[in-house]
Amino acid sequence: MSNPFSRTFVHPNPRASGTLSVLFAGHSQTEPEHRMGPQKLDYYLIHTVAEGKGWFRCRDRHYDLEEGDSFVILPGEMHIYESDKDRPWRYRWIAFQGPDAERWLATAGVDALHPIIRGGSEDVLRAIRAVDGVFAKKSWTADWEAEGWLRLAFAAWAKANRPDGPAAGAEPRSLSAVEADRAARWLQAQQSDPSVTIARMAAELGYHRTHLTKLFKRETGMTPVAYLQQLRIERASSLLAEPLSVEEVALSVGYSDPLYFSKSFKKLTGQTPSAYRRRVRAGG
C-alpha cells in the first residue's frame, strides 16, 4: 500500500555523465516502525530527519537518530533503517552519484564508519525541498539547479560535521595568512578596474588600510600596491602577444593612462611595451 504522505521527485533531464549529479529527491512522513532494508544501493542516498526519531544500522553499528540528524547510505553498503514506534520520523532525502561524490563526503568527514551527521538540518532541508521544486517544474536547467542546491546541502553538512574544517594532517594557517590570501584574491578579481584603491579593498574586507597593508607585506613580502602592479604587468605581458594596441592593453589591465602604463611596464620588465612585443614576435 502506498504512503499518501510520501513523494519522490525524479530528475527530468539527467546528463549522461557528470561529476556530481542528483538522481531524485523526496520526503515522507513514515508510519510507526516503517522499515527499509536490509538492502544495498548503487548510488549515494542521504536522509535528513525533520521530525520524530528512528534508527539506522550499517556495518553492524546501530545509530539512534532524531530531529536534525542525517544518515548517509553509501553505494554497496548493506543497511537497514526504521522509524520509531511512538514518534515515527518525517524526513527528506536526496540521491546522487558521480566521481566527486566520495571526495565531497570525505571532506565533510563522512565514510562507511562515520555515516551520521548531527546538525545543519535547517539549511539541508531547505535545499532538498528546493530540489523537489526544481524537478517538479521539469525545466531544462534542472541539472544545474539541482547540483547547486546539493552543493549548498553539502556545505551545511560539512559545517555541522566539521565546524573547524578538515585540518587534520594539514598545516594550520595563521589568521594573517588567511586574510592576506583573501586580500590577494580580491586584488586578482579587481585588477582590471582602473578605479580600484587599497582604501576600498580595506573597507570591503573590514580592515584599516594601514593594518591591512602591514599584514599583507608581512605575509607576501610586498605591499598591496606592488602586488596589484605585478598582477597587471604579468597580464599585460600576455596581452601584448595579441593583436591589440598598447593603449588597448593598458586599458585592459586597469591603466587609464597609457604613458603611465608604459613607465610601469618598463620599471618591472626593463623594456617598454613596444620593445617587449617586438622581442616576443621575433621569438626572443
Side-chain angles (χ1 to χ4, degrees):
M1 181 176 179
S2 63
N3 183 349
F5 303 107
S6 177
R7 189 168 182 186
T8 299
F9 298 84
V10 178
H11 197 317
N13 305 301
R15 287 178 295 181
S17 63
T19 58
L20 194 65
S21 302
V22 181
L23 302 174
F24 59 85
H27 59 270
S28 179
Q29 170 60 67
T30 64
E31 298 290 337
E33 298 183 306
H34 171 75
R35 176 176 291 199
M36 293 295 292
Q39 62 182 359
K40 290 183 180 181
L41 304 177
D42 58 1
Y43 50 83
Y44 297 86
L45 179 63
I46 304 182
H47 291 70
T48 296
V49 182
E51 292 180 0
K53 59 183 183 178
W55 55 262
F56 172 70
R57 187 176 298 139
C58 180
R59 292 200 176 186
D60 296 322
R61 294 190 178 190
H62 180 95
Y63 306 91
D64 291 316
L65 304 167
E66 56 186 29
E67 180 178 338
D69 295 333
S70 297
F71 58 98
V72 181
I73 300 170
L74 302 177
E77 292 288 339
M78 185 69 71
H79 64 276
I80 184 171
Y81 52 99
E82 182 178 302
S83 65
D84 186 70
K85 176 181 179 181
D86 300 315
R87 292 179 55 214
W89 50 21
R90 178 172 63 84
Y91 49 35
R92 288 187 176 272
W93 62 80
I94 187 164
F96 53 94
Q97 62 184 8
D100 277 358
E102 184 176 1
R103 178 174 60 83
W104 278 61
L105 286 168
T107 302
V110 174
D111 56 34
L113 297 178
H114 305 89
I116 307 302
I117 303 170
R118 311 283 184 182
S121 61
E122 183 176 343
D123 289 338
V124 170
L125 292 170
R126 185 183 302 115
I128 300 177
R129 184 166 58 249
V131 173
D132 290 354
V134 167
F135 286 175
K137 292 177 183 177
K138 300 179 181 179
S139 168
W140 71 271
T141 61
D143 202 70
W144 294 326
E145 294 179 68
E147 183 176 326
W149 285 112
L150 177 58
R151 287 172 181 268
L152 290 174
F154 261 113
W157 284 317
K159 285 188 286 188
N161 212 36
R162 283 184 151 176
D164 298 322
E171 192 69 28
R173 294 198 301 168
S174 66
L175 178 60
S176 292
V178 170
E179 291 306 308
D181 179 66
R182 190 160 71 107
R185 286 184 282 107
W186 189 94
L187 290 170
Q188 291 164 14
Q190 302 292 336
Q191 61 180 293
S192 298
D193 183 356
S195 67
V196 67
T197 64
I198 304 307
R200 177 179 145 203
M201 177 184 72
E204 291 192 12
L205 297 182
Y207 284 93
H208 188 278
R209 173 178 175 168
T210 301
H211 174 74
L212 184 58
T213 297
K214 290 180 178 179
L215 178 154
F216 192 90
K217 186 173 183 179
R218 183 170 65 247
E219 295 296 333
T220 68
M222 65 179 71
T223 65
V225 171
Y227 181 78
L228 177 60
Q229 188 176 53
Q230 178 176 289
L231 286 174
R232 286 172 164 173
I233 297 306
E234 288 176 351
R235 175 61 177 156
S237 298
S238 174
L239 291 176
L240 284 168
E242 303 296 329
L244 300 170
S245 68
V246 171
E247 290 77 11
E248 288 173 325
V249 171
L251 291 172
S252 296
V253 297
Y255 287 92
S256 55
D257 183 349
L259 180 59
Y260 180 63
F261 163 68
S262 295
K263 290 180 178 178
S264 299
F265 191 92
K266 185 174 182 179
K267 182 179 179 180
L268 264 68
T269 68
Q271 304 174 77
T272 65
S274 296
Y276 178 86
R277 167 174 277 169
R278 287 194 296 270
R279 182 176 66 80
V280 170
R281 287 179 174 175

